[in-house]
Amino acid sequence: MSRPSSPGGERWYRRLGSPGVHGVLVAAALVLAGPFLWEFLTSFKSLTEIGQIPPTLLPTRWQASNYDALFRALPFATMFENSVINAVARTGAQLVLCSMAAYGFARIDFPGRNAVFGVFLSVLLVPSQLLIIPQYQIMQDLHLLNTLPALFLPGMFSAFGTFLLRQFFLGLPKELEEAARLDGANPLRIYWNIMLPLARPGLMALGILTFLWSWNDLLWPLIVTTDTRKMPLSVGLASLQGQYTTNYPVLMAGALIATLPVIVAFIIMQKQVVEGIAFTGLKG
Amino acid sequence: MLHLRQAPSTEPTSRRRRRRRAKLKNTLWALLFIGPTAAGLAVFYIWPAAQTLYFSFTRWGAFGGHTWNGLDNYVQLAHDPDVRSAFMNTIWFTLLGLLSLPISLMLAAILNQRGRKGVSVYRTLMFLPFVTMPAAVALIWRWLYSGDYGLINYLLRHVGIGGAYWISDPRTALVAVAAVGIWSTVGYNMVIMMAGLKAISPHYYEAASMDGASPIRQFFSITVPLLSPTMFFLSVLSVVGSLQTFDLVYMMIGHTNPALPQTRTVVYLFYQKAFIENDRGYATALALVLLLVIIAVTAVQFRLQKRWVHYE
Amino acid sequence: MRNPLKALGVVALVAALAACSSGGGAGASGSPSAGQPATITYGLWDNIQAPVMQKLADAFHVTHPNITVSVQVTPYSDYFTKLKAAATGGQAPDVFWLNGPNFQLYASNGMLAPEQINASNYPDALVKLYQYQGKQYGIPKDFDTIGLWYNKTLFDAAGLKYPTADWKWADEQAAAQKLTNPAKGVFGLGAPPSGQENFYSTVFQAGGSIISADGKKSGYDDPNTIRGLKFWTDLIQAHYSPSMQQMTDTDVVRMFESGTLAMLYGGSWHASEFANNANTRNTVDVTELPAGDKKATVIHGLANVVFARSAHLDAANQFTEYLGSKEAADIEASTGSVIPAFNGTQQAWVNAFPQYKLQSFLDELPDAVSFPVSKNTSVWNTMESDILTKAWSGSESVDQAATDLATQMNAALAKEGQ
């Protein structure tokens, strides 16, 4: 490790060393986590304190009354349940459907493959606001307005997920599949027994992202539900905003509680990504 | 691969028949794997998009009535100065947004080193922008950027530099908002990159270390090429996402902000025309022009991938 | 590209199948005759008023046990997006709130059912606001006017007498000068480019107009209008008001609440907010707007309307009739959040926060001018923001900006007629 392979390259790396790198990490963590910390602090402040300029950092008096007000303002448990159903349905469906489609695009050669993938990609390129009204009318025609399926049905199909996993599959070496095909395995078995386990990091990544997006999705659930009991948390929180004033501390309290499950889910899943990788090295 | 490539005309019939059967089999398998997603996308995304294509040639009323007016919307677009500035702003956002990738890569590579302590903690902290409520993000960044009371100017004053009114000065607003955009995507890019890094076999690094390559050398010779499919994916997404910037600008720049013309993006203008001014036909035409731009840019990116993306 | 036609064919087939299965709109059951149980939906946007609306719904249910009202709150920023989507498909709430700028859009597109009201029960300006082509489509619910809020502590510190209802522009400008203290970062009077809260009223006070009575011509090229606008840009140029950039960074209401702004043109709706804020609870007060050439304030208010394609027209009309009654107005007034429109019920609102001279908002009624609207108000509202902001930030002269605005606004109004 100490044989200098390039004249300047060795030296500055050693000089940077551990404290320098650590500094970068700490600074990055602070910048990235700072606003979340501020959200936390705000949820304990009073409404008056929020309006003050210059703004205060720590609450002058920590009060939990905002959390009380939150639970009185919203049917929290029901909305939580709706959020969970929405996120789990979308994530589960996407993990299965997108990985299947990704496998199809990456490993099955069929006529028109590039064209169909192009059409898939084009879905990604369309701004979602453009489609809101026609999608609403489709739901109306299907008589699904204001139902739970309306929340997650369009979100079960994803061009993004297909694209992500396709890249993953393309990057995997083909030797295992070749071996299996020579043994007579059909694509379904190859997909299930070989490709899926190898793609675990990609699946985890897609799972986290989809879960989060579904959890935070606001505009679509807002438009498609009218009954408070069918709304997910994101819509419930948005309804806390008044026309002229918003009770920000209560809103922040709601945002924190709504985010907690997702953070927990992330911590758990992240461990899986780190520790559960059984990447059987093919080259060695 | 499951396909055989040969000129059909010189082959005996039996082999041609077998080839056709293989093609048919592949198509059926493809239908099975891709069909469900394709069907869902067709119903919920492609069909609505096709509908809006039609409406871009009409004058589309707020409540659905429409009259055909041919290319009028598109002609009007070409002459609208707001449209021109919106596209310029959007291009700037896109270029600046790409800066998120090298930053995420550096952080992901550092965290991926074996033996680094506290990785899960750092990783969770860096992921927080993604779970911070957008309203909170806008609030706190507006405070950070505040000309009189903000933290950034406070720190700058301590170093002796005067700060600007970052969000309301037409010269700085776009960069300020773009910085928040970079901030918000670093964590998400990192998650995907770390997954990609994990998929690189450690044997490569071991072999390189035994050959005496420095970590920097290993980074450029092993990590970068093997991570290139992921990088490609992320750069396409970054560009496509930035070209559609809306939420961030909408939250941070109000309609009476003097810097609005310098930060208004195409989708923001679309939203304004469609939902506030009720000129939906015109807005749809605008969105479709944007879509064409996105398609063109993405096609170029795909074409270029042969130069720098390394697939096994 | 290998055989793109085939791929397109697949997609087209699927799309066609989807289109086939989606035929048939939502069928509305026939209007139940009076006496049959019905549930109607009531759409609104203010979360703070939602409990009061629920009270009204419950009170109505007591006297009309066969009609249940379900209150639906959508945040204001998305209210009209959702409403338009719903209305297009015939699914709008049976009864919902509308405001002035959006009213004519819905009325002219046949989205509203005509209403019966006793016009003498409500302020004239409000009744007219919700008429279209001679027919009444909305029942006024509440109204708001603009007043001069001021910080008593800052006035005391400067040794000035508090503003009175007899003040004129000159008095106000003199006070603003004395109250501005650059060393402490305190300004005299806030001048954001806000129509409803700031310049509409001063335009009317100068004898100008925003839009002609028939809604076809812009009033921005009127010299009186320009004088009304210059009132504000002069303040900014003299530094008695924060700069445009400062006001963009920090909202003037927050400045007022933090004691860095001595005077503020604000709506009657600020009363409950100031009363709930510990910093302003007892240190601010309000009076009528100072006069220009004459006294004037812009008046605006919400109305309850009935969806023309409601499946329960009869029940909906009964509910709106109740909402427009004195009894409902009394319930609304008791919370102090809005001023009810029904004549004679406003005293409860005045009494809600006795520390403020809220009567000022009512005393202005004789001089109130209707909120300027047209069929597609938001188009030229956007122009107002885009163009006048330039005058406010000093990159363009007020005369130039106003003339530009008039030209563009006239073009937009002409388009409305088509």
Side-chain angles (χ1 to χ4, degrees), chain B residues 39 42-43 59 62-63 142 146-148 165 168-170 255-258 260 264 271-272 275-279, chain C residues 14 18 77 81 84 87-88 105-106 109 111 193 244-246 248-250 376 378-379 382 385-386 389 415 418:
Chain B
V43 170
R59 203 172 151 204
F63 298 102
R142 292 189 61 152
S146 169
D148 296 322
Y165 284 93
S168 43
D169 188 333
H255 58 271
T256 52
N257 188 325
L260 181 61
R264 182 164 41 193
Y271 184 86
Q272 180 186 312
F275 293 108
I276 300 181
E277 298 183 27
N278 301 308
D279 197 352
Chain C
V14 175
S77 49
T81 308
K84 268 177 244 167
T88 311
L105 182 70
Y106 286 78
N109 278 290
M111 291 288 135
M244 188 62 226
Q245 290 191 344
Q246 283 173 307
T248 308
D249 252 17
T250 314
N376 204 352
S378 36
V379 174
T382 315
S385 303
D386 279 353
T389 303
K415 238 176 147 188
Q418 293 163 0

Side-chain angles (χ1 to χ4, degrees), chain B residues 99-216:
Chain B
L99 288 174
S100 169
L101 292 177
I103 298 176
S104 322
L105 179 57
M106 182 185 71
L107 291 174
I110 294 177
L111 283 182
N112 195 47
Q113 287 176 317
R114 264 177 299 158
R116 182 148 300 283
K117 302 215 185 72
V119 174
S120 334
V121 175
Y122 278 119
R123 198 172 14 222
T124 311
L125 287 179
M126 294 188 185
F127 198 65
L128 286 178
F130 212 57
V131 301
T132 313
M133 190 180 184
V137 171
L139 276 177
I140 188 174
W141 276 100
R142 292 189 61 152
W143 170 64
L144 284 173
Y145 279 131
S146 169
D148 296 322
Y149 313 106
L151 185 62
I152 294 181
N153 283 358
Y154 177 76
L155 294 173
L156 284 177
R157 256 174 275 148
H158 271 247
V159 196
I161 314 174
Y165 284 93
W166 302 102
I167 292 283
S168 43
D169 188 333
R171 295 164 300 173
T172 56
L174 192 145
V175 178
V177 177
V180 183
I182 295 176
W183 171 90
S184 64
T185 52
V186 163
Y188 142 91
N189 284 335
M190 254 178 54
V191 166
I192 298 188
M193 278 193 209
M194 282 196 279
L197 285 172
K198 280 283 169 241
I200 300 177
S201 166
H203 295 299
Y204 291 122
Y205 294 109
E206 285 161 17
S209 295
M210 283 198 292
D211 279 348
S214 75
I216 305 281

Side-chain angles (χ1 to χ4, degrees), chain B residues 231-244:
Chain B
M231 292 293 289
F232 172 69
F233 168 73
L234 287 175
S235 64
V236 169
L237 280 178
S238 169
V239 168
V240 170
S242 298
L243 285 170
Q244 298 180 39

Side-chain angles (χ1 to χ4, degrees), chain A residues 95 161 164-165 168 196-209 273 277, chain B residues 192 195-196 199:
Chain A
L95 285 179
L164 169 63
L165 292 177
F168 244 82
L196 272 193
L198 283 180
R200 202 124 148 246
L203 289 173
M204 286 291 150
L206 179 63
I208 295 174
L209 291 172
V273 174
I277 303 306
Chain B
I192 298 188

